Amino acid sequence: MRGAVRSNLGLVFLVAIGLAACGGGGGGGSVTPPTTTAAPSTPTPAPTPQAVSIAAGSSASTTALGTLAGQAGSLTVPVAASGAGNVTAQLVAGAPAGSPVLQSSARLPRAIGGSQLSAIVFITFTPSVTLTFASTPTFTFTFPAGFALASGAQADIALYDPTQAASGWQTFLGPGAVSGSAATGIAIAFAAVARSVTFQANQTYVFCLFSTASTVTVPTPAPTATPTPTPRPTPTPTPTPTPTPTATSGAQSGFACPNSATSFAVARGGSDGADAVRRSARHHGATSNAGLLAVTYDRGTALGSERSISARESQLNAMLVQRYDFPQSNRLVRVIAVPAGQTTSIMAFMRSQAGVQSVALTGERRYSSTASAYFPTPNDPYFVGFTGGPYLQSATLPGQWDMHAIGLEHAFGYSQSNNSLGVAKPNALGIPSVKIAIIDTGVDSTHPELSGGKIVAQNCFITNPNTNVQSTSNFSTDPDGHGTDVAGIAAASTGNGLGFAGAGGNVSIVAYRVFPTPDDNCVSDTSNDPRCGADTADIAAAINDAVQNQHVSVISMSLGGGTCGSGRGFAPNGDSDPVEGAAVANAILAGVIVVAASGNSGTSGVDAPACDTSVIAVGASALADGQPNGAGNSLGSAGTPIEYVASYSNYGSPGANVNNSSAWGIVAPGGDPTGGTDNDNLHWIENIWTSTPYQSSSSDTNFLGECTDDYPNSSSKTPPVDCRTLIAGTSMATPHVAGAVALILSATGGSSSPYQSPTAMKQLLCQTAHDISDAHEGCGRLNLYRAMAVALGDTALPPL
């Protein structure tokens, strides 16, 4: 549920033991501890054990580190391959200031944000001299009676290396061997792994013991394989061409692209009489895959020496996983899988090679807002409304308050002659030659709002995290529903007499699926199941294809995770993932307008890729109508709702700089319900949903939408009907902006529009945005009506 980050670490605490988030220095907030299933009194925390000195050199040494809140630990320092001196070690409750947040490893579509993992305990490790070991240190931890790991959970050790600060936390050892029981107390032991590790003199390294219900990838030796991957097929613009997947590895575990447009059985369902199923926003975070490096080259240098580059990678026992060519930004990126324990040394070596611009970890996962009004005919009933309130909708009547808040019907009004320009602009209804790339969970191409030529191309890129092999096909399908919903908000068929209108009107969709087939774990806010997240390698592949092969005007991404930064080894644009960052930078330089969700954590700090330079970041607005909402306020009334920034919406700093394009971003309707039982229609965004959801069995309703009958319910209602849902999040706000951008481009010249520029478009959207008087609104709330008026040169401007 949106609004509360819940831990999903697989830990059951029968006795309350102090927890801390892996990280310090203000890097994000802590998460809710795991559920306490019994309630004995919490013991008074014991003082932090004193630091101990351990001799390191010609012999191994095991030292007890003391007891902290009932937890004890010991550390074994192996024989040193080089160097001799002392190591100061200490068992501590929290990481030193300046260490980053250890975040879970996926970027979800509707789960955008920074939910970080909880930690059990830390060990600091400070050598007096530089020491190199042929194997890793080992650890043993003991816990008192009442502590247990949940069924299926595992414990791991993460390492923060201050000499590689940009790499953040990396999984170092695990899983640990667990013995004992909750009744008597348990022990978790980590055996040595034979790999060379070096610790620099007078640097404080931090080890973090944590537990997760999902498997955490520990670096393993690169498999023997041909360095050059199978070439990816060139996608075709036909909606349903013959599939040509490069790989089907992982088909049994959900990591394969569909091989047809009907890969999932149609599963229309839902409760008759309910207008739509309700779904709240979710949030999540990201870390990089410690075994994957993105090596960014000067393109000219790399193209002239790729044979020698391949030979060098082979000598390092590294395997080429993906190759990305970014001609607009003059970069070429090679993603390589490196042997266990050699990440740091290979990174240092590759940085010294000619033409190399940067080397960084990659493989993050992105865990799946004046003319007379005109309603295109035949009328879309949810757009026209059912005699509702000021937004042609009310708390008890469904509709598209979101589209009326941004003035879509008035923007459409410029297509008619009775506007203050005195001339009809028919392209103000959107034109098919303007294309929006929807990079998400795929789309349901059989949905009546997306059929009939609306989708001009489909492509799928899904990498199996177990093999680093990418599956591709020319079908997207949508077993989740999120991508179909986003596509509907951006560009559902308008004026077809069915359901909903899309913000982009008659523009076209290029549909990308970058998320695996979900499983029921993906219903959880904070699941670390890799089937719930999209690999940034696949996001980058979709971006690159959209720019170079499909020639789209707009890219819409209702996904995110991680953060942006500068001067710390971050990728181009500041993106925390170098491959995704390079792909976004290349798209921006090509003039493509990139729109992305700000995140659903309700905090200051915009997620990647929304925080990348020149991306239009989108937060969510919502309505307060006097009824309890997600913000917990009772402002406004049924007759005069008040718009505000949704309680979960991430924002930048400063939070507001109204009508100024230097603001962190813009907000658009996203809704803000109290939860899944909120019956106020004005607290949600209603739109289409997939008719082909994932179902583990015929009774599995986790991903079903409402596909029986449209409002008003009637036994005489005949097909087709819209599969639809009520949902909330910055994911929903984002396609409002992407669709608005496409509509403005349509009305002002298509590909030759003066606004086909990320800078020019953001300036237009911000200067015309509506001030909702909220401290987190960025440059304001999207006002498509006024933006269209300014773009068309109408001097009789509607009010801000």
Side-chain angles (χ1 to χ4, degrees), residues 149-212:
L149 293 176
S151 176
Q154 69 176 48
D156 298 271
I157 298 283
L159 171 66
Y160 172 62
D161 180 349
T163 69
Q164 299 289 334
S167 299
W169 291 92
Q170 299 184 50
T171 303
F172 185 72
L173 290 173
V178 181
S179 59
S181 67
T184 60
I186 69 169
I188 305 174
F190 294 86
V193 175
R195 66 173 185 257
S196 177
V197 289
T198 298
F199 298 95
Q200 300 293 328
N202 302 314
Q203 296 287 336
T204 296
Y205 298 80
V206 187
F207 295 98
C208 175
L209 172 66
F210 69 99
S211 176
T212 175

Side-chain angles (χ1 to χ4, degrees), residues 120 132 149 154 230 238 249 270 283 347 356 522 532 550 560 577 754:
I120 304 172
T132 298
L149 293 176
Q154 69 176 48
T230 304
T238 308
S249 178
H283 19 107
M347 288 177 73
V356 173
C522 301
C532 308
Q550 303 301 337
D577 187 90

Side-chain angles (χ1 to χ4, degrees), residues 712-795:
N713 297 318
S714 170
S715 59
S716 62
K717 182 72 177 181
T718 57
V721 297
D722 276 339
C723 286
R724 59 205 181 280
T725 197
L726 291 163
I727 194 168
T730 55
S731 282
M732 286 62 254
T734 299
H736 285 90
V737 174
V741 167
L743 193 71
I744 292 167
L745 294 176
S746 296
T748 56
S751 59
S752 60
S753 169
Y755 297 103
Q756 183 66 70
S757 151
T759 299
M761 183 58 73
K762 186 178 182 183
Q763 288 176 341
L764 174 66
L765 296 182
C766 281
Q767 78 179 70
T768 58
H770 179 61
D771 183 4
I772 60 174
S773 302
D774 192 289
H776 301 154
E777 66 180 307
C779 67
R781 194 258 293 132
L782 173 67
N783 185 339
L784 176 55
Y785 179 15
R786 188 176 177 92
M788 183 72 87
V790 170
L792 292 176
D794 190 348
T795 57

